[in-house]
Amino acid sequence: MLDKKLKEQDILYITQRKSEIWRVEPSTTAKNCKNFIREIVDNLDLKPNPEKPVIALSLGDPTIYGNLKTSEETVQAVISVIEDGLCNGYAPSIGYEDARAAVAEYLSHDGVDVRSRDIILCSGCSSSLEHCITVLADGTKNHNILMPRPGFPIYRTLAETIGVTVRYYNLIPENNWEVDLDHLESQIDQNTTAIVLNNPSNPCGSNYSEEHLRNILEIAYRRRVPVIADEIYEQLTFPGNKFVSTASLNSHVPILICGGLAKRFLVPGWRIGWIVVHDETGAFEDVRKALICLSQRTIGGNTLVQGALPCILQNTPQSFHDELIDILHENAQLAHEEFGKIKGLTPYMPQGTMYMIIEIQMEKFVVFKDGLEFAQKMMEEESVFCLPGECFAVPGFMRIVLTVPKDLLYEACGRIAEFCNRHYGTM
């Protein structure tokens, strides 16, 4: 009798609950996670002109058009690893020892002596950055980190996801986007736990001199703030510019350097990044241990590519890298010349990387309320899309990629010129 009554109560309870909406609340961390480029772009009503094929000057993936391919040596290195079948299982969470040793050797130049114990392999450079921000900054302690403006928004995404505040320091356009040193120092307070330094830069294409890097690191040393150096574009510099790693400057600043295969070797989808723990004073001994703990969350990067790393880094000919730089430099020169002819636009010639940033004289385009509407209408009328400066915290600018085939880049410049001529000075 009692069992029957309980069953009736259960049925009544289930029936009542079925009429309710069942909604599960996501975690605070998940709700804090935002891709700020996607958030901006997805809110634009991007409808291309159906009479013109789309030219996307917005995509940071250098492989997207198929004109830039990785080297044959890189491909064969991975094929050999697959055929050997020795890298199909789990690797140590920080990466295979021979892979880490190969990265250490690759990065040991200009007086820098990197050891394998200094290397942690990750699932792409974004994962490297995530580990570095997470190991240094704690949202429960009201920490903040500093990032450049303009700057790539992944730093903000990774920080705010874990409740860490982001503060911006300004870059100076007329000085090749060098850091405003006074402004940088003014942003530091007792809760600042890291300065993010991106050199060479996305989106600016700037490449800092040794002197300028020393000035930045002097502030970091004096204020006792570690540096996270995003050097994913290392050595992707144009003629007349030399890449200087922060590790080569003997600054006594503890630095976590992030890099990877993605850009220089044209394999962003292979998801191999690394962290270099550069620690001249022993300040990072506890951080080293904590980074190992963080790496255990994902059990490291792609094991097939790890197995191929020694061959990739040792056997890829310099001619491959030189040819890539030649293509990017030629495209940068073409874009700078063509955009320089367009009314209302001011291009900034990059010193390296795969990007160019262009200023939009918004006061000359009064028909548009902001750069977002400018980008949206350019897509609607000319089927050309560039990332608006709002994606990088600098309204009134736009970023283009230099990795598209030259004929498409030239075509895009022509369409943008027509668009600007059509709307320049209109009411």
Side-chain angles (χ1 to χ4, degrees), residues 58 63 127 147 166 243 282 399-400 408 416:
S58 56
T63 71
S127 177
M147 66 170 282
V166 165
F243 166 70
R399 189 202 75 174
I400 67 166
L408 285 184
I416 293 171

Side-chain angles (χ1 to χ4, degrees), residues 27-36 130 133-134 139 154-166:
S27 70
T28 300
T29 298
K31 288 190 289 186
N32 285 343
C33 186
K34 296 179 181 178
N35 182 317
F36 293 99
E130 180 183 24
I133 290 172
T134 302
I154 187 68
Y155 315 127
R156 181 182 171 191
T157 295
L158 297 173
E160 293 187 353
T161 295
I162 58 173
V164 172
T165 301
V166 165

Side-chain angles (χ1 to χ4, degrees), residues 82-129:
I82 293 172
E83 290 177 344
D84 288 345
L86 300 178
C87 296
N88 294 333
Y90 290 120
S93 64
I94 58 174
Y96 290 129
E97 171 62 25
D98 59 347
R100 292 162 56 221
V103 173
E105 181 182 358
Y106 168 73
L107 296 174
S108 292
H109 55 80
D110 296 332
V112 179
D113 181 21
V114 183
R115 298 162 296 173
S116 60
R117 74 177 292 265
D118 300 323
I119 303 295
I120 294 175
L121 297 181
C122 305
S123 182
C125 191
S126 296
S127 177
S128 304
L129 289 164

Side-chain angles (χ1 to χ4, degrees), residues 244-405:
V244 178
S245 174
T246 51
S248 69
L249 300 178
N250 304 118
S251 65
H252 300 293
V253 174
I255 306 170
L256 298 177
I257 300 172
C258 298
L261 288 184
K263 307 299 184 179
R264 192 172 186 232
F265 291 83
L266 300 175
V267 286
W270 288 14
R271 310 313 299 146
I272 280 292
W274 52 70
I275 299 168
V276 182
V277 181
H278 180 72
D279 183 21
E280 300 170 57
T281 64
F284 271 162
E285 284 309 305
D286 291 336
V287 167
R288 284 180 186 269
K289 298 172 186 175
L291 281 170
I292 293 172
C293 292
L294 285 173
S295 72
Q296 292 167 353
R297 296 191 302 176
T298 55
I299 321 294
N302 185 310
T303 57
L304 298 177
V305 185
Q306 282 191 52
L309 264 178
C311 288
I312 292 172
L313 296 177
Q314 294 164 13
N315 297 343
T316 300
Q318 183 60 39
S319 59
F320 167 80
H321 301 301
D322 292 342
E323 183 179 353
L324 174 59
I325 287 174
D326 287 344
I327 292 170
L328 295 173
H329 187 220
E330 288 176 12
N331 281 2
Q333 290 176 312
L334 183 157
H336 187 260
E337 181 179 352
E338 294 302 313
F339 279 105
K341 301 173 185 176
I342 301 175
K343 292 190 297 185
L345 300 184
T346 303
Y348 290 85
M349 181 65 187
Q351 298 164 299
T353 76
M354 302 176 168
Y355 312 102
M356 176 181 288
I357 196 163
I358 299 160
E359 186 172 4
I360 307 168
Q361 299 165 28
M362 292 305 303
E363 71 278 6
K364 302 296 186 181
F365 299 98
V366 295
V367 69
F368 304 125
K369 64 181 180 181
D370 55 29
L372 296 175
E373 188 175 358
F374 183 97
Q376 180 175 308
K377 290 298 182 181
M378 191 163 67
M379 181 66 159
E380 183 179 303
E381 296 179 18
E382 298 295 338
S383 294
V384 177
F385 185 60
C386 306
L387 280 184
E390 283 81 354
C391 294
F392 310 99
V394 280
F397 290 82
M398 62 182 178
R399 189 202 75 174
I400 67 166
V401 298
L402 302 170
T403 54
V404 300

Side-chain angles (χ1 to χ4, degrees), residues 2-105:
L2 181 60
D3 287 346
K4 182 179 180 182
K5 187 174 182 180
L6 285 173
K7 288 179 181 178
E8 290 174 350
Q9 289 176 343
D10 289 342
I11 292 171
L12 178 62
Y13 174 75
I14 292 170
T15 303
Q16 290 173 337
R17 291 303 301 269
K18 279 184 176 180
S19 64
E20 299 175 6
I21 297 175
W22 189 2
R23 184 164 294 162
V24 178
E25 184 73 10
S27 70
T28 300
T29 298
K31 288 190 289 186
N32 285 343
C33 186
K34 296 179 181 178
N35 182 317
F36 293 99
I37 290 181
R38 293 283 7 133
E39 190 173 72
I40 290 171
V41 171
D42 289 347
N43 284 326
L44 297 178
D45 186 17
L46 295 176
K47 296 177 180 176
N49 184 336
E51 298 181 0
K52 297 183 178 184
V54 172
I55 303 176
L57 298 181
S58 56
L59 301 171
D61 181 349
T63 71
I64 200 74
Y65 280 98
N67 57 313
L68 298 178
K69 299 180 184 297
T70 193
S71 71
E72 183 63 24
E73 291 80 3
T74 297
V75 173
Q76 289 303 318
V78 175
I79 289 174
S80 294
V81 170
I82 293 172
E83 290 177 344
D84 288 345
L86 300 178
C87 296
N88 294 333
Y90 290 120
S93 64
I94 58 174
Y96 290 129
E97 171 62 25
D98 59 347
R100 292 162 56 221
V103 173
E105 181 182 358

